[in-house]
Amino acid sequence: MLLALPLLAMLTTAPAIAAIIPKPASVVAVEGTFTLAPHARIAAGKGAEEVAEFLRSALRPPTGFGLNLGGRAGKDTISLALDRKLSRLGEEGYLLEVHPDRVEIRAFRAAGAFYGVQTLLQLLPPEVFRSAKVEGQVWQAKCVKIEDKPRFGWRGVLLDPARHFLPKEGILRFIDTIAQHKLNVLQLHLTDDTGWRVEIKKYPKLTQVGAYIPEYLADYDPPKPKNGPRGGFYTQNDLREIVAYAADRHVTVVPEIEMPGHAGAVVAAYPEVGLPDSNVINGEDSSIRFMQDVLDEVMAIFPSKFIHIGGDEVDKSFWKKSARVQELIKQRGLKNEDEYQSWIIKQMDAYLASKGRRLLGWDEILEGGLAPGATVMSWRGIEGGIAAAKAGHDVVMSPTSNLYLDYYQAEPAEEPLAIGGYLPLEAVYGYEPVPSALNAKEAERVLGLQGNIWGEFTPNMKHIEYLAWPRLAAVSEIGWSSGAKDFTEFSGRLAADFARLDAMGVKYRPRTGSPIQALGEWTSVEASTEWVVREWDASEEMAKAGPYTVRFAYTHGAHRFHVRWAELVQDGKVVARDEHAGSAAWDVSANTYALASPGGGQLKVRAEVRYEGSDSNGILYAIRR
Ligand code: ACM
């Protein structure tokens, strides 16, 4: 027994062939090793030619091999075939067989063959992700049979070049890294109060003025180069290049054009479209047409079925105070500002539908009535997603609590300045995209999930990479893999992922620091504005004796959560106490409590707490020091 245990542990944790992220549905190891020969060929069947070209281009720099395309499957080939009989694999699934003398990838569709290629690349040494020849490297992969397909069709990530403009080259490189992890949607937040980043030929001032808004340049743009401009925008050709580059990697670029709020840049460029001194569209018929003109040019650049129109955080007080808007509300037979917003979104929904597209918006578009064709991106928690799915609308889950990758990923004091919040890798990996409140039929409305990397605090791509990795690896696995999740096992596979990111020169956040365990949560459902004592079970999470930090980490909601003191209770007896006023909110205040655990027994964290209002939600973590 003494000998057997460590041996068993070694066998089950050995990375061997299985360090693939996201984890495939089925992996069977087979005897033998494949070695890529300089004279190998890539044989592409009908419909798989472009994927073959991609593979050839990917292998050429690191191997130095100019592999020939063509011929049939056989010895020393990597064959790619689409097969109508493999419909069970869906749009994106694949079969991958690595034999000692050849590799076979089969799929129903080209996207599946592409993901088979991505898995093959992960089976090869991580050096395969370098961009120049690696001397002395033997290109081997262990023999294996893999059958794989994704759980969700929407595996997204959002970048925000509106807050800090991101050069095109950085976005192209980012697409390489997400495609490598089988993520397939890149949402670009192209417009906001801080800048308008997409060239619109009919309205040139949108970029001439809107891409260089003086009051935001100081806060949001990188330091001014000598005599050079700040801000910036993408020409339509830049964006077409991004779209095409992404499409080659089976990534759909979804444009987001914010309205009717977060529209400061439009209002700066064309004041007649907004209300004076505001960041909201005024809702006049002419302004609706203006935004639809914009959408015309956007649709001509982006073939994406979904067009995101924002819809979040509209400051409706501007409409409330405007006599003209109040008149329009009456004229249109609407009840209030919520319905006014809803009316505007409905105009866009009908317009996009008439062009064969679909409207996507943040969950605020539920307020005042959801437009008939709308798909909802649920960000203020999961409630918007639940409500929309129950009403028969498609949803993409992107709650702050688990998928806002602009939040701190470790102790804020030790991390670069972030927008607030606290979202360690564990919390991302622990996320289940289908809310338990949905029945099986409603659950089909969940298209998938998206990690958002907002740009207020991200001056450049290096910073974005640091926030993205490894948390996006977790997003990729939750979005792709159907099997049971095991964080420890996932963490083991991350070592290989890091080796690949190292080869690509990606600045990820290394896994330093202490183990973090989620103890429980506080939610708006139990909100109390009086001081109350609450308890959370910590028997497992703090079972090991030693010093811990218990962190109250805000995730979402309009209100703060206050803490007066926290205790650790073991089998009914207080064994540790930390008394100081703390509060948890978006700005990360003093919300940590030092509690030493004697270990063992029934453990509870007990705290006296108060909600500042009815809407506050967060997670408690125990971090072992
Ligand atoms: C958002 O984070 N305001 C969608």
Side-chain angles (χ1 to χ4, degrees):
M1 277 311 277
L2 275 176
L3 269 176
L5 267 174
L7 188 65
L8 194 68
M10 221 171 70
L11 284 175
T12 52
T13 57
I17 52 158
I20 300 163
I21 291 180
K23 188 177 186 156
S26 153
V27 180
V28 179
V30 186
E31 244 343 272
T33 303
F34 168 79
T35 304
L36 183 70
H39 60 268
R41 281 179 302 106
I42 302 175
K46 198 163 165 350
E49 298 88 349
E50 286 179 12
V51 180
E53 192 59 62
F54 173 88
L55 175 60
R56 180 180 137 95
S57 305
L59 289 174
R60 188 180 192 116
T63 64
F65 303 163
L67 301 182
N68 284 321
L69 292 178
R72 289 163 175 274
K75 190 169 158 46
D76 284 327
T77 62
I78 301 172
S79 63
L80 303 169
L82 303 192
D83 186 341
R84 257 182 301 171
K85 291 193 291 294
L86 291 174
S87 61
R88 72 169 192 278
L89 296 172
E91 294 294 312
E92 299 182 299
Y94 63 91
L95 294 170
L96 167 64
E97 292 187 8
V98 178
H99 298 278
D101 66 339
R102 69 190 191 283
V103 174
E104 291 177 8
I105 294 172
R106 285 180 294 151
F108 182 52
R109 298 277 191 236
F114 177 79
Y115 291 128
V117 160
Q118 289 299 347
T119 298
L120 173 62
L121 292 174
Q122 290 199 14
L123 292 172
L124 288 165
E127 301 302 306
V128 78
F129 290 100
R130 292 198 179 270
S131 57
K133 188 162 191 287
V134 184
E135 295 298 340
Q137 177 73 54
V138 180
W139 302 101
Q140 288 187 324
K142 288 256 169 63
C143 290
V144 71
K145 287 187 183 185
I146 293 178
E147 177 161 351
D148 196 14
K149 68 174 185 180
R151 180 176 177 202
F152 295 106
W154 189 295
R155 304 178 301 279
V157 52
L158 173 144
L159 290 185
D160 173 14
R163 267 50 176 260
H164 282 98
F165 182 66
L166 302 169
K168 181 193 72 188
E169 295 73 17
I171 293 190
L172 298 183
R173 206 179 112 90
F174 187 72
I175 290 169
D176 288 335
T177 60
I178 64 173
Q180 192 232 311
H181 290 79
K182 302 188 177 81
L183 294 162
N184 66 352
V185 175
L186 173 62
Q187 180 173 333
L188 291 181
H189 183 73
L190 289 169
T191 74
D192 211 300
D193 304 328
T194 45
W196 183 279
R197 308 298 185 203
V198 45
E199 176 191 27
I200 299 295
K201 300 207 194 260
K202 186 159 185 178
Y203 301 117
K205 282 193 287 180
L206 283 174
T207 45
Q208 286 163 3
V209 175
Y212 305 96
I213 297 180
E215 67 226 75
Y216 286 111
L217 289 178
D219 286 346
Y220 284 106
D221 279 349
K224 187 178 183 174
K226 271 202 184 85
N227 304 319
R230 290 179 297 173
F233 68 95
Y234 308 107
T235 65
Q236 296 199 351
N237 280 341
D238 287 337
L239 291 167
R240 287 200 171 91
E241 190 179 339
I242 291 172
V243 166
Y245 189 88
D248 281 348
R249 288 151 185 79
H250 294 272
V251 171
T252 299
V253 183
V254 173
E256 182 186 359
I257 306 295
E258 271 270 19
M259 65 187 92
H262 281 278
V266 195
V267 182
Y270 293 91
E272 64 273 24
V273 176
L275 288 178
D277 300 318
S278 87
N279 68 342
V280 297
I281 305 259
N282 56 25
E284 297 279 358
D285 291 341
S286 56
S287 304
I288 300 294
R289 275 197 304 279
F290 181 101
M291 295 311 290
Q292 290 172 343
D293 289 342
V294 167
L295 290 181
D296 277 341
E297 294 195 30
V298 167
M299 284 187 278
I301 302 166
F302 296 91
S304 163
K305 185 93 179 159
F306 286 94
I307 305 288
H308 203 302
I309 52 72
D312 58 317
E313 299 181 313
V314 183
D315 186 345
K316 294 170 186 161
S317 69
F318 289 114
W319 290 337
K320 221 179 178 72
K321 287 181 297 202
S322 158
R324 173 61 185 155
V325 168
Q326 292 305 313
E327 188 183 311
L328 284 169
I329 287 178
K330 277 212 195 76
Q331 258 178 34
R332 291 170 181 164
L334 306 169
K335 277 214 273 299
N336 51 31
E337 292 75 28
D338 282 350
E339 289 198 358
Y340 192 67
Q341 145 127 338
S342 173
W343 184 90
I344 294 172
I345 303 295
K346 282 174 182 160
Q347 306 312 303
M348 299 303 152
D349 179 43
Y351 192 72
L352 290 171
S354 77
K355 308 281 176 189
R357 306 297 182 101
R358 292 178 61 185
L359 178 142
L360 180 61
W362 300 109
D363 57 56
E364 286 94 330
I365 66 171
L366 281 150
E367 295 161 8
L370 200 50
T375 294
V376 170
M377 204 167 252
S378 190
W379 75 280
R380 297 174 303 171
I382 61 173
E383 292 76 14
I386 293 170
K390 283 190 180 292
H393 289 254
D394 286 339
V395 301
V396 175
M397 302 305 290
S398 190
T400 52
S401 54
N402 301 80
L403 294 175
Y404 264 43
L405 308 188
D406 54 336
Y407 284 11
Y408 285 104
Q409 56 190 318
E411 285 307 294
E414 293 157 25
E415 289 296 304
L417 185 66
I419 198 159
Y422 183 69
L423 185 58
L425 179 66
E426 290 84 342
V428 181
Y429 194 75
Y431 181 60
E432 164 50 50
V434 176
S436 56
L438 299 183
N439 65 31
K441 191 97 193 100
E442 293 157 353
E444 288 171 16
R445 292 302 192 170
V446 179
L447 303 181
L449 76 171
Q450 184 164 294
N452 295 335
I453 309 175
W454 295 101
E456 286 91 337
F457 294 85
T458 56
N460 55 50
M461 286 308 302
K462 281 283 158 222
H463 199 118
I464 287 171
E465 288 175 359
Y466 181 84
L467 294 176
W469 307 105
R471 289 185 293 185
L472 267 186
V475 173
S476 119
E477 186 141 315
I478 314 161
W480 181 280
S481 309
S482 300
K485 304 289 178 293
D486 177 339
F487 182 75
T488 308
E489 188 269 341
F490 169 74
S491 305
R493 273 180 289 127
L494 271 183
D497 203 53
F498 286 168
R500 296 188 279 263
L501 292 171
D502 279 334
M504 295 174 90
V506 171
K507 185 184 161 65
Y508 56 86
R509 185 187 186 281
R511 292 290 291 156
T512 58
S514 317
I516 296 170
Q517 300 265 13
L519 295 178
E521 55 183 10
W522 77 87
T523 68
S524 297
V525 178
E526 306 125 22
S528 163
T529 51
E530 303 293 318
W531 286 103
V532 286
V533 175
R534 292 266 158 86
E535 286 184 346
W536 295 267
D537 191 83
S539 304
E540 274 181 40
E541 295 83 356
M542 297 175 73
K544 239 185 192 167
Y548 287 80
T549 299
V550 170
R551 168 177 290 280
F552 291 80
Y554 160 91
T555 58
H556 63 287
H559 301 123
R560 274 170 198 283
F561 181 78
H562 297 284
V563 182
R564 214 174 227 172
W565 50 259
E567 291 174 345
L568 184 66
V569 181
Q570 185 183 44
D571 299 324
K573 279 217 310 275
V574 175
V575 289
R577 182 176 168 96
D578 183 352
E579 181 161 352
H580 67 264
S583 96
W586 43 95
D587 55 355
V588 185
S589 353
N591 54 356
T592 56
Y593 291 80
L595 299 172
S597 170
Q602 192 205 38
L603 297 168
K604 286 186 172 166
V605 168
R606 180 188 286 165
E608 190 174 4
V609 302
R610 182 173 75 80
Y611 292 62
E612 203 161 282
S614 59
D615 183 21
S616 185
N617 304 271
I619 302 175
L620 270 76
Y621 293 98
I623 302 147
R624 193 155 179 273
R625 290 278 154 230

